[in-house]
Amino acid sequence: QVELSGANYSLNALVADDAFRNYVDEASVFTGDPAIVHSFMQRFDDLWTDTTSYTNYANVTTPKRRYARYPLAAEMNFPPLHSYRDRAVAPYDAETAGIDAIMYRITDRAHTDAILAAVARGVPVRLITEPDQYRLVDRMWHSWNVDRLYMGGVQVKHRAHAGLNHQKSVILYDQNGTVAGDQSMVIFGSSNWTSPSANGQVEHNMFTTKPDLVSWYIDQFERK
């Protein structure tokens, strides 16, 4: 089994300080899907045996692979091995029905430009984001991009409960370009809409049309 999300190992990322009042917005997926589990086994061992980008901190002699070698599932996206930006922008450009996003940090205009282009061709877009990021002086590109999205017609909500909106997910409602809802997709994982998250940091993201995951994320977004 593997757990995948953007959640940190912190107390309030795992358990609400006060349910529905003071909590960190997250969406953690636990799966035993062999293709997904094996993908993470492969990537972990790739990183564990990488002696160029990583060095031993303690208790390591000679790094060795623990798992057999597996192919990476087509649903998975592992920056910096893959570009999150390129993989995500392509379905934005193909969307015809609607886009709903929950995004902690937005500093990469490639995402914003693609979302604005979707709105311009008549695709409704809704965004839930994080006000603490909006007010950070050293994150001015976040507020710049959120302002552009607002001016371009995106419906924007900020977190109002105590805690933090740390989730990163995007729902697309028609990935066949035919009938609304014909094949919905959800993109979720650890990458923000930022340049480092695109191909400069170790991240993991899933691009899936699995009905159970898509419907869960749709229900969650509607509740929020």
Side-chain angles (χ1 to χ4, degrees):
Q1 189 179 71
V2 64
E3 179 268 331
L4 55 152
S5 73
N8 293 302
Y9 276 4
S10 60
L11 287 176
N12 56 6
L14 301 174
V15 180
D17 290 330
D18 186 0
F20 301 107
R21 293 181 177 85
N22 186 359
Y23 59 94
V24 177
D25 287 272
E26 299 285 4
S28 297
V29 170
F30 294 77
T31 180
D33 182 334
I36 306 305
V37 176
H38 290 165
S39 295
F40 277 88
M41 289 178 172
Q42 175 69 28
R43 282 303 293 151
F44 187 91
D45 271 357
D46 288 347
L47 299 174
W48 184 256
T49 56
D50 182 345
T51 57
T52 301
S53 301
Y54 297 90
T55 188
N56 297 342
Y57 173 68
N59 305 326
V60 179
T61 52
T62 303
K64 297 178 181 178
R65 302 188 77 90
R66 172 176 291 178
Y67 310 115
R69 292 185 180 273
Y70 297 102
L72 300 179
E75 291 176 298
M76 294 306 305
N77 167 262
F78 290 104
L81 186 64
H82 312 129
S83 170
Y84 170 70
R85 176 196 293 120
D86 293 348
R87 179 82 179 263
V89 166
Y92 306 161
D93 289 342
E95 183 58 38
T96 62
I99 301 173
D100 289 334
I102 301 177
M103 196 56 56
Y104 173 61
R105 181 177 298 154
I106 306 171
T107 59
D108 184 349
R109 69 173 297 165
H111 293 274
T112 304
D113 289 347
I115 293 296
L116 289 172
V119 175
R121 63 177 183 269
V123 176
V125 179
R126 300 183 295 177
L127 169 69
I128 300 173
T129 188
E130 173 52 46
D132 282 2
Q133 291 294 301
Y134 189 89
R135 294 302 181 190
L136 285 178
V137 174
D138 58 351
R139 298 290 182 193
M140 65 175 185
W141 296 115
H142 176 88
S143 56
W144 182 77
N145 278 286
V146 172
D147 287 353
R148 292 180 68 227
L149 292 168
Y150 162 73
M151 293 298 290
V154 174
Q155 301 173 69
V156 182
K157 275 198 167 189
H158 267 179
R159 170 192 58 79
H161 63 78
L164 199 67
N165 178 61
H166 196 248
Q167 184 171 326
K168 301 97 177 176
S169 60
V170 185
I171 304 165
L172 301 110
Y173 288 89
D174 181 16
Q175 279 306 290
N176 275 353
T178 52
V179 180
D182 187 48
Q183 187 181 21
S184 299
M185 172 190 287
V186 61
I187 305 167
F188 66 90
S190 64
S191 285
N192 289 293
W193 284 353
T194 66
S195 296
S197 281
N199 50 27
Q201 297 174 168
V202 173
E203 306 274 11
H204 65 273
N205 304 288
M206 190 171 181
F207 290 67
T208 185
T209 58
K210 286 187 171 71
D212 56 340
L213 287 172
V214 172
S215 63
W216 189 93
Y217 274 91
I218 291 174
D219 290 345
Q220 185 215 32
F221 190 92
E222 293 294 345
R223 287 199 308 272
K224 292 182 181 300

